[in-house]
């Protein structure tokens, strides 16, 4: 493949992805099934016992995060069963359920305290904007969640919960390590009165990263005011994130003998981001039967960048401006019956986004309105049914100087529903089955660059079926699940179709027929002794394009590894020290965008990482080394453009709690 072809085929996805960028992790010990203290917010948007939810849920607790000595969310998620993590120039993409990394930002919903990190364009959610030191826990629901969360929640939801202020502990952290990395952070909690508290967080980071011309400087500041009584829970939040990042670009196969280099055409490339977030959250108990909650979120993101391609250097400065605000009111009723609790949740979601990208003269004003309802009914003391439905409408007011220079208005709608059941066989085991109808709307980049003669893309729709079993053992737990995810009119970039008139590269975004993913997840954790805990998980997925263009029909979905295995153990050496060792295997896969399976595969790899922590009263010293054996491998590749993964790297972290 020539350099020109590589650049052309990569351009549609790369322009916005670049400019937007758009563990132990010993996970929380599995509780006894039915433990009333086990709650998750992700799966109901209100606190709900996880035993009632007919789906696969993983919770990464605060203790897990601290014991892992992690400083990046990618380190925490990499070991979760069913998740595949990729990195491009120091930015992380998380995929689930056989969704490729290229499509993950469109099909996996990531939230921080209920606020969407996903954008209305195809840029990946900026996980690096979330400071690990601020995280209280991470809740991961696998499988379609369109009924509760609407657009983009096709393969699952990752909800990152940060400290709210009710945690009275303060902390200071200092990190130093490979690639000239220096990081300092502060979380200061203070009670203003019996009901009011505030939390101030600050972070500063400098690093050169693994590759040349990949320096990063980031500063963050956050302020939260928290009001908490027996019947009220209100949070007022403001945070800013400023980041300057040099982007090294892709390498050709001939460049991989020196994986740290950056090609000369990327010498001027960078992405500078300034972002501000405002959030108000409130939850009130009305009486014994009713409570309501409301989320109001506002994001203002301004990005300046230079984006070159292999063989095509440029010095043109581009700007990307995003403004997103949302209002999510909801109400929950709860009534006690002889067989258990009847829970009924109803809500409205309103999302408004404005987007402008200077390079392509592209702009969009998008409004999404949704209404949803979820009902839990106890059929017996051991069996619960879940019934849920959502209706959503989207309106796009779109301008693109090449395809829609005078503008166009596009309207569409979609529905989703869930039918699920969970059954407790005894106090330590349960089974569940769940069928879900899911959807996602086309993003602005996709709507503005469609095949010749196509005006607007239809919503992508799909069916998801999952059957699972969970067993709490005397020495650990076992989780098993099988799933099928079928997508119709799947939206993706196809390099083989005829582009719109005036296009300067081949291919276009399409509704691509039908695809299917059949998967199996096994997750096992064992307490070998009072001081040694270990675990292993396995994910198998057969992802195939069932119906589409003749060149791609029957092909394996690119970017998806058929096999993923993670293993780990955590040894509490003595009262003050623990040692953690983790191994990650990711199988081979086709390059992103290679729907015809015509390009060489990305080879499989095995990575070993380790951490050790010492704790003395309020002080903790941790050392972590990732890629312990200095394995050379490719983390992401698209159309013959390669992004090498980090070599062996490590750091020391000193933490003080007060």
């Amino acid at each position: 493949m020539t350099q020109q072809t590589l650049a052309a085929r990569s351009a549609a996805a790369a322009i916005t992805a670049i400019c937007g960028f758009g563990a132990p992790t010993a996970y929380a010990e599995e509780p006894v099934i039915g433990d009333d203290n086990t709650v998750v917010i992700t799966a109901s948007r209100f606190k709900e016992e996880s035993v009632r939810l007919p789906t696969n849920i993983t919770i990464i607790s605060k203790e897990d995060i601290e014991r892992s000595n992690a400083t990046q969310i990618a380190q925490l998620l990499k070991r979760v069963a069913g998740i595949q993590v990729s990195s491009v120039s120091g930015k992380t993409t998380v995929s689930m359920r056989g969704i490729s990394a290229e499509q993950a930002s469109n099909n996996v919903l990531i939230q921080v305290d209920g606020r969407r990190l996903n954008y209305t364009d195809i840029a990946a959610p900026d996980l690096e904007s979330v400071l690990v030191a601020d995280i209280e826990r991470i809740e991961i629901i696998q499988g379609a969640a369109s009924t509760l969360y609407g657009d983009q929640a096709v393969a699952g939801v990752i909800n990152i919960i940060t400290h709210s202020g009710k945690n009275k502990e303060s902390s200071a952290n200092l990190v130093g390590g490979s690639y000239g990395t220096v990081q300092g952070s502060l979380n200061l909690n203070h009670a203003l009165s019996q009901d009011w508290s505030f939390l101030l967080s600050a972070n500063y980071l400098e690093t050169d990263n693994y590759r040349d011309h990949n320096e990063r400087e980031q500063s963050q500041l956050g302020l939260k005011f928290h009001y908490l009584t027996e019947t009220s829970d209100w949070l007022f939040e403001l945070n800013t994130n400023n980041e300057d990042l040099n982007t090294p670009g892709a390498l050709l196969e001939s460049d991989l003998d020196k994986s740290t280099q950056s090609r000369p055409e990327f010498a001027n490339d960078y992405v500078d981001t300034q972002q501000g977030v405002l959030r108000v959250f409130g939850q009130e108990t009305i009486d014994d039967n009713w409570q309501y909650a409301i989320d109001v979120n506002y994001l203002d993101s301004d990005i300046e960048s230079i984006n070159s391609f292999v063989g095509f250097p440029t010095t043109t400065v581009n700007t990307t401006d995003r403004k997103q605000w949302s209002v999510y009111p909801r109400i929950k009723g709860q009534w006690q019956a002889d067989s258990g609790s009847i829970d009924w949740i109803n809500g409205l979601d309103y999302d408004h986004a404005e987007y402008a990208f200077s390079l392509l003269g592209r702009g969009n004003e998008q409004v999404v309105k949704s209404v949803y309802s979820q009902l839990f009914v106890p059929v017996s003391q051991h069996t619960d049914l879940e019934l849920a439905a959502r209706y959503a409408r989207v309106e796009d007011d779109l301008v693109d100087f090449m395809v829609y220079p005078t503008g166009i208005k596009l309207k569409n709608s979609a529905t989703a529903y869930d039918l699920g059941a969970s059954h407790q066989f005894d106090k330590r085991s349960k089974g569940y089955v769940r069928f879900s109808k899911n959807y996602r709307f086309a993003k602005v980049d996709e709507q503005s660059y469609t095949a010749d003669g196509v005006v607007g893309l239809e919503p992508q729709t799909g069916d998801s079926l999952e059957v699972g079993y969970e067993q709490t053992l005397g020495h650990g737990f076992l989780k098993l699940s099988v799933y099928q995810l079928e997508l119709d009119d799947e939206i993706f970039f196809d390099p083989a179709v005829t582009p719109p008139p005036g296009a300067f590269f081949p291919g276009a975004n399409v509704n691509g027929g039908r695809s299917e993913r059949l998967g199996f997840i096994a997750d096992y954790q064992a307490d070998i002794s009072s001081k040694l805990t270990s675990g292993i998980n396995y994910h198998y997925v057969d992802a195939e394009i069932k119906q589409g263009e003749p060149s791609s029909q029957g092909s394996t979905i690119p970017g998806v590894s058929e096999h993923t295995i993670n293993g780990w153990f955590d040894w509490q050496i003595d009262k003050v020290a623990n040692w953690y060792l983790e191994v990650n295997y990711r199988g081979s896969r086709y390059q992103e965008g290679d729907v015809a399976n015509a390009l060489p595969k990305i080879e499989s790899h095995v990575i070993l990482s380790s951490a050790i922590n010492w704790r003395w009263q309020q002080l903790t010293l941790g050392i972590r080394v990732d890629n312990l054996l200095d394995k050379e491998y490719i983390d992401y590749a698209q159309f013959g453009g390669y992004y090498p993964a980090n070599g062996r790297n490590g750091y020391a972290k000193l933490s003080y709690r007060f």
Side-chain angles (χ1 to χ4, degrees):
M1 178 175 290
T2 65
Q3 291 183 359
Q4 183 174 358
T5 304
L6 165 64
R9 289 189 173 183
S10 301
I15 287 175
T16 306
I18 291 174
C19 76
F21 277 108
T25 317
Y27 283 47
E29 182 178 340
E30 195 71 359
V32 173
I33 298 297
D35 184 348
D36 290 340
N37 292 323
T38 303
V39 294
V40 289
I41 295 174
T42 305
S44 69
R45 300 179 79 170
F46 281 94
K47 294 182 179 181
E48 184 65 53
E49 296 177 24
S50 64
V51 67
R52 305 191 70 189
L53 303 170
T55 191
N56 187 334
I57 296 173
T58 300
I59 299 176
I60 305 174
S61 70
K62 178 182 178 182
E63 182 183 5
D64 302 332
I65 296 169
E66 291 175 348
R67 291 177 65 89
S68 72
N69 198 33
T71 60
Q72 301 174 29
I73 292 179
Q75 294 168 312
L76 298 169
L77 296 178
K78 185 172 286 188
R79 209 210 67 190
V80 176
I83 284 183
Q84 296 182 4
V85 178
S86 302
S87 180
V88 179
S89 302
K91 291 295 183 178
T92 301
T93 300
V94 181
S95 55
M96 303 164 65
R97 293 285 160 111
I99 297 294
S100 69
E102 182 184 23
Q103 291 296 322
S105 63
N106 308 324
N107 292 282
V108 177
L109 179 61
I110 300 179
Q111 298 187 318
V112 177
D113 299 322
R115 175 180 62 84
R116 287 172 173 260
L117 280 189
N118 300 61
Y119 299 113
T120 54
D121 57 291
I122 63 173
D126 188 3
L127 283 171
E128 281 67 32
S129 69
V130 184
L131 183 61
V132 169
D134 286 343
I135 298 175
E136 183 71 25
R137 68 186 182 277
I138 301 175
E139 303 167 349
I140 303 160
I141 175 172
Q142 302 212 29
S146 297
T147 302
L148 278 174
Y149 286 98
D151 194 22
Q152 303 169 36
V154 173
V157 177
I158 298 174
N159 198 11
I160 302 165
I161 310 298
T162 64
H163 302 308
S164 63
K166 62 184 177 183
N167 177 8
K168 306 306 179 186
E169 185 178 77
S170 299
S171 66
N173 303 278
L174 181 63
V175 177
S178 301
Y179 319 134
T181 299
V182 177
Q183 182 178 15
S185 62
L186 173 69
N187 283 273
L188 180 62
N189 286 274
H190 180 68
L192 299 173
S193 67
Q194 181 179 347
D195 301 329
W196 284 93
S197 61
F198 82 86
L199 184 150
L200 174 67
S201 62
N203 175 61
Y204 178 78
L205 169 69
E206 281 187 4
T207 182
D208 293 336
N209 279 318
Y210 173 64
R211 294 181 57 195
D212 299 336
H213 190 62
N214 198 195
E215 297 82 6
R216 176 183 169 202
E217 182 178 0
Q218 182 179 27
S219 60
Q220 296 166 280
L221 185 65
L223 182 63
K224 296 180 180 179
F225 288 93
H226 191 206
Y227 175 75
L228 181 65
T229 68
E230 290 185 0
T231 59
S232 301
D233 190 350
W234 286 86
L235 191 67
F236 306 88
E237 177 183 359
L238 166 66
N239 67 68
T240 62
N241 175 47
N242 298 317
E243 181 184 66
D244 297 335
L245 176 70
N246 290 334
T247 51
L251 296 177
L252 297 176
E253 187 174 7
S254 57
D255 301 320
L256 294 179
D257 57 340
K258 186 182 178 183
S259 58
T260 61
Q261 69 176 303
S262 174
R263 292 178 60 86
E265 51 264 54
F266 299 107
N268 297 313
D269 283 23
Y270 69 91
V271 179
D272 290 349
T273 303
Q274 292 184 333
Q275 181 170 289
V277 172
L278 291 170
R279 177 175 182 251
V280 177
F281 166 79
Q283 183 168 318
E284 289 278 349
T285 298
I286 302 171
D287 55 32
D288 292 340
N289 300 117
W290 292 97
Q291 57 182 307
Y292 72 84
I294 187 169
D295 267 302
V296 180
N297 302 284
Y298 176 76
L299 175 142
D300 189 344
S301 176
D302 297 319
I303 297 173
E304 182 182 280
S305 62
I306 294 178
N307 316 119
S308 301
F309 302 98
V310 173
F312 292 88
T314 182
T315 57
T316 301
V317 176
N318 309 307
T319 59
T320 305
D321 298 320
R322 302 187 186 97
K323 290 180 175 60
Q324 298 178 194
W325 65 278
S326 59
V327 182
Y328 303 146
R330 51 197 182 273
I331 189 166
K332 176 182 178 180
Q334 187 175 59
W335 302 269
Q336 292 299 319
D338 292 340
S339 54
S341 172
I342 301 172
D343 294 356
W344 188 28
I345 299 168
N346 295 277
L348 301 171
D349 288 350
Y350 179 86
D351 292 278
H352 185 114
E354 297 177 8
Y355 168 85
F357 183 38
S358 64
L359 177 62
L360 299 177
R362 181 175 295 170
N364 186 42
E365 183 175 359
Q366 183 186 80
V367 176
V368 181
K369 302 174 184 178
S370 307
V371 58
Y372 67 91
S373 182
Q374 181 189 47
L375 178 67
F376 286 102
V377 179
V379 178
S380 71
Q381 292 183 351
H382 304 290
T383 304
D384 285 283
L385 294 181
E386 181 212 6
L387 307 172
R390 172 183 287 259
Y391 175 75
R393 290 189 59 85
V394 61
E395 298 180 6
D396 290 283
D397 191 352
L398 178 65
V399 176
D400 185 278
F401 85 88
M402 189 163 49
V403 183
Y404 303 117
T406 60
I408 189 172
K409 293 184 182 294
L410 301 171
K411 296 182 180 181
N412 238 311
S413 63
T415 58
Y417 62 83
D418 292 343
L419 299 173
S422 63
H423 177 74
Q424 281 185 258
F425 299 104
D426 53 44
K427 289 185 177 181
R428 292 181 172 271
S429 63
K430 79 167 185 177
Y432 61 86
V433 60
R434 187 169 184 246
F435 175 80
S436 301
K437 191 78 174 179
N438 61 75
Y439 71 90
R440 86 166 179 93
F441 296 126
K443 293 192 171 184
V444 57
D445 314 72
E446 297 165 324
Q447 290 283 35
S448 60
Y449 202 87
T450 54
D452 187 18
V454 176
V455 178
L457 297 172
E458 294 298 314
Q460 170 188 297
T461 61
D463 298 329
S464 174
L465 177 64
E466 179 178 5
V467 179
Y469 174 80
E470 299 179 6
Q471 174 77 53
T472 299
L473 309 171
H475 59 277
F477 68 84
L478 173 67
K479 291 183 177 182
L480 302 172
S481 63
V482 294
Y483 66 85
Q484 179 187 46
L485 176 62
E486 289 188 344
L487 299 180
D488 292 313
D489 290 329
E490 184 170 4
I491 302 170
F492 62 89
F493 183 84
D494 190 340
V497 302
T498 304
F504 54 88
F505 52 83
N509 297 296
V510 299
N511 285 119
R514 184 169 62 89
S515 65
E516 181 184 69
R517 296 153 178 86
L518 299 173
F520 168 71
I521 298 176
D523 192 2
Y524 174 69
Q525 178 175 309
D527 299 324
I528 299 173
S529 70
S530 60
K531 293 186 177 182
L532 183 61
T533 301
S534 67
I536 186 169
N537 60 63
Y538 169 67
H539 178 217
Y540 165 82
V541 59
D542 179 16
E544 183 179 342
I545 300 172
K546 290 292 187 180
Q547 183 180 357
E549 294 293 322
S551 61
S552 62
Q553 190 163 321
S555 297
T556 297
I557 295 174
V560 178
S561 296
E562 188 176 27
H563 303 281
T564 308
I565 305 173
N566 303 298
W568 56 272
F569 77 81
D570 178 20
W571 178 28
Q572 189 68 40
I573 302 172
D574 54 32
K575 292 183 179 180
V576 300
N578 78 282
W579 176 41
Y580 175 72
L581 183 68
E582 175 181 321
V583 59
N584 308 109
Y585 168 81
R586 184 173 182 184
S588 61
R589 60 198 186 277
Y590 288 101
Q591 298 182 35
E592 300 288 344
D594 182 18
V595 292
N597 295 170
L599 300 175
K601 275 188 169 183
I602 306 171
E603 295 181 356
S604 62
H605 62 263
V606 178
I607 300 302
L608 195 66
S609 301
S610 185
I612 187 167
N613 296 284
W614 296 270
R615 300 173 183 84
W616 300 277
Q617 297 180 348
Q618 297 161 285
L619 194 66
T620 301
L621 174 63
I623 297 174
R624 179 170 176 132
V625 180
D626 290 323
N627 195 358
L628 196 62
L629 302 181
D630 202 22
K631 172 71 174 179
E632 293 185 3
Y633 66 100
I634 301 301
D635 218 352
Y636 183 90
Q638 184 181 47
F639 297 124
Y642 297 90
Y643 291 83
N646 289 354
R648 179 170 51 238
N649 65 98
Y651 55 83
K653 181 171 72 173
L654 184 65
S655 301
Y656 179 68
R657 295 172 181 82
F658 57 96

